Amino acid sequence: MAEVVRVYGHSTYKDVYVVELEDGSTRLATRNLVVGKRVYDEWLFKFNDVEYREWNAYRSKLAAALLKGIKELAITSGSKVLYLGAGSGTTASHVSDIVGLEGRVYAVEFAPRVMRELLSVAESRKNLIPILADARFPQRYRYLVGYSDVIYADVAQPDQASLVLLNAKHFLKEGGYLYLAIKARSIDVTKEPDEVYRREIDTLKKGYFDILDVIHLDPFDKDHAMVYARYVK
Amino acid sequence: MMKVFLTDVIVGAFAIDLNGNVIHKVVAPNDINKLVERVLKIEDDQPTDEFLRLLDELVSNYGKDLEVVVDNENYVKYLSDVGLKAVLEHGSEVLLRFREELPKHFVELGFIKSEGEYYEFLHTISLTITRSKLRRVAQKRDLLAVQAIRAIDDIDKVFNLFASRLREWYSIHFPELDDLVKEHIDYARIVAELGSRDYINEKGLKRLGFSEGKINKIINISGKSMGAELSGHDVEPIQTLANIMLELDRLRDELTSYLSSVMKEVAPNTTELVGPLLGARLLSLAGSLETLAKLPASTIQVLGAEKALFRALRTGGKPPKHGVIFQYPEIHKAPRWQRGKIARSLSTKLAIAIKADYFTGRFIADRLRTDLEERINEIKTLYAKPPVKVEKVKGRKPRRK
Ligand SMILES: C[S@@+](CC[C@H](N)C(=O)[O-])C[C@H]1O[C@@H](n2cnc3c(N)ncnc32)[C@H](O)[C@@H]1O
């Protein structure tokens, strides 16, 4: 990989970095919380004695949303994030980088096979709390999860929005934020013909969420949009 | 009618009044197994022992004229069972505030020393719980650990074989390097990254992380080496071999960290006691966790020394004092006459740990480890001096007093 020319903080998103390479291209990156350790097949960059991890937008929907210019990144250092559908930890690990040791990522995932990978990521990341549970039953993990500033949901289920509402009721503080990866085929998401998509957005609105932004993730992810919303309970 | 809020958290069950004061509590013992058991119950929507006791004690202290608020619908039933009136309320201020203050309560109850440790505590608990839940659905993961450790041992063999070959081969070109660089991996790095003697310079060696002194020595000698000049065409295959060694080393690292996570799941006690590598070697020798769990301590002590054991049985000679557990640092670092005693003590603890891993999954290794360390210290002081040899000549002494 080409040499790093410089690294600078992203102009819009706090605690996210841009790595500029010799060939003039740039990469999104987060500061590696566990130096020397990779989580998926991302690149590690060293600059001025600080290590950064490439944040691959083709692998992480949140990175894609940032590259597509979503309005804000409400996850910053110190945030408490409830992550629903953490998978093997690709995106969750970057969120863990961003929130740092003062922050917290409660990572809910219900598939044992995937959880095994997430567990090994969590072993070295002290701010990542793995929770093997079904996100449809938040009372089962309420003993572990505290009040959260942000919910990040990517469970890839048709009834995601109601699952989010339930979790918000338990754990999201008033004025907290939501990022929801939602299935959406058309690139102009506001004209989405898909019934499912419209129903999901409606559910969110009825559940006291103000929709702040919706952005399609094409070309990084052709089937999803990211919804950004605020909890106004 | 008095209003109380009930909640069940990791460390116990609490009753809180409208002002947020804890009016009654039943605290669980500070033992990770107990806590994990509690949590698994909470997750299965069952009331914990502490919660049920809290209900009884509330009724006997305050009578039944209480309005009880809970935030879990499943608890409503247990409340009406003891004749209490229950209200279900999600996200009530009182309970939310109480949860926010949990770090403080944990400190007061002595589960942690300072509020700063709270999240570390949660992290540890969540990892333990997750592992124990994964174990419930796990199948044959011990066999994966067995294969992984065998692959690691294979890699070590191949690595050493290649290292000898590499040294012999490259020595045609730079014979003096063999003595200068003892670690195989360092040697391979020099050959792979720098190649021909002509490219061995300060900048390159520095990049590989060698010390100032070492760098000077290598450069010095390289200038007056007695080795043959080789063309790039001749050096290339040697570099390929060195590169494969680096690749093997990386693979070994990956396998080791994989093995460590599998072992923590399938055999957490064994792993805590002797580490993932030795733990997996024991598994590998026995074949599976089940077989290993059924072996007595005396067999575990000599696992991996079967040849010596059978020789001893055949010839009536001395049986071996230890098998693969010799790799346990406290054994191989100890003076010869202490080793058998430490080995016996370790294998006794190991047998308990392995049985816990297989039969109950309870985490008991912290206690086992303290016991073991105490016993080892005792052995070190009691048998600080080598035994006096003359006693043997006097004839047989009874083995035990
Ligand atoms: C698209 S993947 C998540 C990828 C991940 N967010 C990332 O970007 O790295 C969706 C995950 O949600 C999990 N999931 C689906 N339904 C769930 C539920 N009800 N509770 C918890 N996890 C669920 C699936 O097992 C799967 O791993």
Side-chain angles (χ1 to χ4, degrees):
Chain A
M1 165 131 292
E3 292 274 327
V4 177
V5 178
R6 64 189 182 120
V7 176
Y8 50 91
H10 195 283
S11 54
T12 323
Y13 312 124
K14 202 172 151 279
D15 304 310
V16 175
Y17 297 85
V18 178
V19 177
E20 197 179 303
L21 300 175
E22 220 171 21
D23 60 6
S25 67
T26 56
R27 300 280 190 283
L28 215 55
T30 53
R31 196 182 164 141
N32 197 357
L33 187 73
V34 188
V35 173
K37 242 191 157 125
R38 274 185 222 184
V39 174
Y40 49 115
D41 53 6
E42 78 278 24
W43 286 96
L44 299 182
F45 302 112
K46 215 159 201 128
F47 186 71
N48 283 347
D49 279 335
V50 178
E51 190 174 274
Y52 300 87
R53 291 168 57 229
E54 173 201 18
W55 195 358
N56 186 338
Y58 289 94
R59 301 284 302 275
S60 166
K61 295 181 194 109
L62 185 53
L66 299 187
L67 284 185
K68 292 291 304 273
I70 199 161
K71 216 172 234 163
E72 263 178 310
L73 180 60
I75 301 171
T76 56
S77 99
S79 298
K80 300 195 171 64
V81 180
L82 173 59
Y83 194 132
L84 307 174
S88 51
T90 305
T91 301
S93 68
H94 287 287
V95 174
S96 146
D97 280 348
I98 292 173
V99 304
L101 288 176
E102 293 299 307
R104 218 50 48 193
V105 185
Y106 302 100
V108 182
E109 168 59 54
F110 78 168
R113 197 181 52 78
V114 188
M115 176 49 90
R116 236 167 236 129
E117 290 174 46
L118 183 64
L119 190 66
S120 70
V121 176
E123 274 168 8
S124 52
R125 293 180 171 264
K126 300 272 178 250
N127 62 7
L128 191 60
I129 310 247
I131 301 173
L132 178 61
D134 189 331
R136 281 173 299 182
F137 306 101
Q139 75 273 9
R140 292 190 189 154
Y141 45 90
R142 75 182 188 296
Y143 67 89
L144 262 179
V145 179
Y147 243 171
S148 302
D149 305 302
V150 177
I151 291 184
Y152 184 95
D154 182 15
V155 290
Q157 298 277 328
D159 57 345
Q160 266 204 98
S162 51
L163 179 151
V164 163
L165 292 192
L166 201 58
N167 278 277
K169 205 156 79 183
H170 275 84
F171 308 116
L172 189 58
K173 70 171 196 199
E174 210 176 316
Y177 293 92
L178 165 72
Y179 290 92
L180 174 66
I182 197 167
K183 196 139 179 116
R185 252 170 280 126
S186 128
I187 297 185
D188 184 355
V189 271
T190 48
K191 294 213 186 77
E192 178 69 45
D194 194 334
E195 169 73 17
V196 177
Y197 170 83
R198 240 177 312 149
R199 210 178 43 224
E200 292 282 276
I201 294 284
D202 269 356
T203 312
L204 285 183
K205 286 185 181 158
K206 284 200 195 101
Y208 308 105
F209 275 101
D210 258 355
I211 310 291
L212 303 177
D213 200 4
V214 182
I215 219 161
H216 201 278
L217 303 182
D218 181 84
F220 305 107
D221 184 316
K222 293 196 165 39
D223 309 313
H224 289 91
M226 185 66 78
V227 178
Y228 173 47
R230 184 158 186 263
Y231 196 40
V232 288
K233 176 152 70 161
Chain B
M1 200 179 346
M2 188 162 92
K3 196 168 177 178
V4 288
F5 298 78
L6 298 193
T7 189
D8 217 353
V9 295
I10 296 180
V11 299
F14 293 80
I16 302 142
D17 70 12
L18 262 175
N19 303 318
N21 299 317
V22 176
I23 57 167
H24 205 81
K25 60 177 180 254
V26 178
V27 179
N30 190 355
D31 160 9
I32 189 128
N33 293 305
K34 261 273 160 227
L35 299 180
V36 169
E37 266 168 33
R38 280 179 53 71
V39 165
L40 292 178
K41 270 195 177 161
I42 295 178
E43 291 194 359
D44 288 345
D45 287 330
Q46 289 172 34
T48 62
D49 299 348
E50 286 75 17
F51 186 80
L52 293 176
R53 247 179 62 206
L54 181 77
L55 287 187
D56 284 345
E57 295 182 11
L58 265 184
V59 171
S60 56
N61 284 4
Y62 298 90
K64 287 190 181 168
D65 197 19
L66 291 173
E67 188 187 342
V68 181
V69 182
V70 289
D71 59 358
N72 183 347
E73 53 198 313
N74 297 297
Y75 282 8
V76 176
K77 175 180 167 300
Y78 306 109
L79 286 163
S80 48
D81 281 354
V82 291
L84 282 172
K85 184 167 164 288
V87 187
L88 181 66
E89 205 179 302
H90 281 299
S92 74
E93 272 302 315
V94 172
L95 286 184
L96 286 177
R97 211 164 345 109
F98 173 73
R99 289 220 188 98
E100 286 306 287
E101 288 173 356
L102 275 179
K104 197 185 82 194
H105 295 296
F106 276 50
V107 176
E108 277 166 13
L109 297 174
F111 283 88
I112 48 177
K113 287 196 202 68
S114 71
E115 292 186 27
E117 286 175 20
Y118 178 67
Y119 284 115
E120 215 178 302
F121 180 82
L122 278 197
H123 188 250
T124 312
I125 289 261
S126 72
L127 289 179
T128 315
I129 292 166
T130 307
R131 279 193 207 106
S132 96
K133 281 195 279 184
L134 283 177
R135 198 167 30 240
R136 288 205 222 160
V137 296
Q139 282 183 338
K140 305 207 169 183
R141 296 191 65 76
D142 55 336
L143 301 188
L144 293 179
V146 167
Q147 292 302 324
I149 187 67
R150 289 181 188 169
I152 289 174
D153 289 343
D154 290 347
I155 288 175
D156 288 346
K157 268 190 220 135
V158 175
F159 186 88
N160 285 325
L161 201 61
F162 280 5
S164 318
R165 173 65 50 236
L166 181 73
R167 283 173 184 273
E168 215 177 293
W169 198 347
Y170 192 69
S171 285
I172 298 176
H173 175 56
F174 190 177
E176 298 81 2
L177 191 67
D178 191 27
D179 276 338
L180 276 180
V181 181
K182 285 287 166 222
E183 287 291 325
H184 291 336
I185 189 71
D186 291 340
Y187 191 95
R189 231 173 243 139
I190 293 181
V191 180
E193 311 259 329
L194 306 178
S196 156
R197 218 168 52 214
D198 302 340
Y199 299 116
I200 299 188
N201 53 28
E202 188 175 347
K203 188 168 165 239
L205 289 170
K206 214 173 207 159
R207 185 158 47 87
L208 296 182
F210 285 94
S211 71
E212 206 60 53
K214 197 91 205 173
I215 293 176
N216 287 337
K217 253 192 209 154
I218 296 177
I219 291 178
N220 227 332
I221 294 188
S222 132
K224 39 189 174 188
S225 169
M226 307 288 287
E229 292 299 327
L230 293 186
S231 70
H233 178 68
D234 288 326
V235 174
E236 240 170 59
I238 313 182
Q239 279 185 291
T240 308
L241 180 66
N243 267 314
I244 289 180
M245 287 175 62
L246 299 188
E247 209 40 57
L248 282 174
D249 188 60
R250 263 190 295 275
L251 178 58
R252 190 189 199 277
D253 280 351
E254 265 171 38
L255 278 176
T256 308
S257 86
Y258 167 74
L259 179 65
S260 155
S261 76
V262 175
M263 282 299 290
K264 276 185 194 157
E265 187 190 320
V266 297
N269 290 296
T270 309
T271 307
E272 175 75 17
L273 210 55
V274 296
L277 290 172
L278 180 48
R281 292 211 165 90
L282 288 165
L283 270 185
S284 169
L285 286 163
S288 72
L289 184 59
E290 183 181 354
T291 345
L292 186 59
K294 290 176 181 161
L295 297 180
S298 54
T299 309
I300 293 173
Q301 189 178 340
V302 294
L303 262 186
E306 284 74 11
K307 263 193 210 153
L309 183 66
F310 290 131
R311 196 186 325 114
L313 289 177
R314 231 179 19 246
T315 62
K318 267 208 227 155
K321 293 197 194 77
H322 34 64
V324 72
I325 61 166
F326 182 68
Q327 291 171 4
Y328 186 69
E330 290 287 0
I331 297 185
H332 70 246
K333 279 193 297 187
R336 205 161 287 280
W337 64 90
Q338 292 174 2
R339 286 178 187 168
K341 295 189 170 59
I342 300 179
R344 178 147 8 102
S345 161
L346 173 63
S347 51
T348 313
K349 302 288 181 246
L350 256 174
I352 301 171
I354 295 163
K355 283 183 176 57
D357 285 336
Y358 181 68
F359 291 107
T360 66
R362 289 177 68 106
F363 190 75
I364 51 170
D366 41 358
R367 209 191 61 226
L368 287 177
R369 206 167 61 177
T370 346
D371 287 357
L372 179 64
E373 282 163 1
E374 264 169 34
R375 176 63 189 144
I376 290 177
N377 283 333
E378 202 178 287
I379 293 172
K380 282 183 177 162
T381 36
L382 278 179
Y383 305 93
K385 297 224 181 67
V388 188
K389 280 272 157 66
V390 272
E391 280 187 8
K392 271 200 177 153
V393 192
K394 287 188 193 160
R396 283 187 193 282
K397 273 182 43 164
R399 279 206 68 124
R400 301 247 162 196
K401 336 167 229 170

